[in-house]
Amino acid sequence: MDERQALAAFVALGQEHRLRLVRSLVTAGPEGSASGALAVEVGVSASTVSFHLKELEHAGLVQSRREGRSIIYSAAFPALSGLIAFLMSDCCQGRPEVCAPAVEALAACCSPKGDIAHA
């Protein structure tokens, strides 16, 4: 991820409903969630959630697919990982203890008991 892409991602995440949508989609996993269910979960109208999902999709943080009559949205995990890598790429400066909390938090999300989405 380059700086331009990171800036677009941060602009998209800089709105509370969009941040909540991404967190909800991360929790939903690769299966994703329908826009109607996301609207209920985030507490906004269907048209408002569609606007926010479009902005997140434009920033590359969310992807969509059609299943029957529904549009299913899911987090773009490679892009989210790229954003984290962009932030942490120069971490530590030879001092691994500086990055240890971030590394431990990411490791926890991959463990069966981990739940970074709500950490």
Side-chain angles (χ1 to χ4, degrees):
M1 175 170 289
D2 63 27
E3 187 173 290
R4 182 191 55 76
Q5 293 167 314
L7 285 169
F10 284 122
V11 167
L13 292 171
Q15 201 282 340
E16 71 176 296
H17 297 308
R18 293 182 200 152
L19 183 59
R20 288 180 187 167
L21 285 166
V22 169
R23 288 181 57 112
S24 179
L25 289 170
V26 166
T27 301
E31 297 78 24
S33 187
S35 60
L38 289 166
V40 170
E41 189 169 335
V42 175
V44 298
S45 69
S47 62
T48 299
V49 83
S50 292
F51 169 77
H52 289 307
L53 287 167
K54 182 183 121 206
E55 292 298 313
L56 290 166
E57 196 165 16
H58 185 262
L61 300 174
V62 167
Q63 53 201 18
S64 63
R65 68 183 183 279
R66 182 166 289 282
E67 285 186 7
R69 293 176 20 150
S70 297
I71 297 178
I72 306 299
Y73 291 88
S74 57
F77 289 101
L80 293 170
S81 296
L83 185 58
I84 293 167
F86 175 83
L87 288 173
M88 303 298 290
S89 66
D90 296 323
C91 184
C92 304
Q93 298 294 318
R95 296 175 36 221
E97 72 277 3
V98 173
C99 294
V103 171
E104 290 169 8
L106 289 172
C109 80
C110 298
S111 70
K113 293 170 49 178
D115 188 11
I116 197 167
H118 293 98

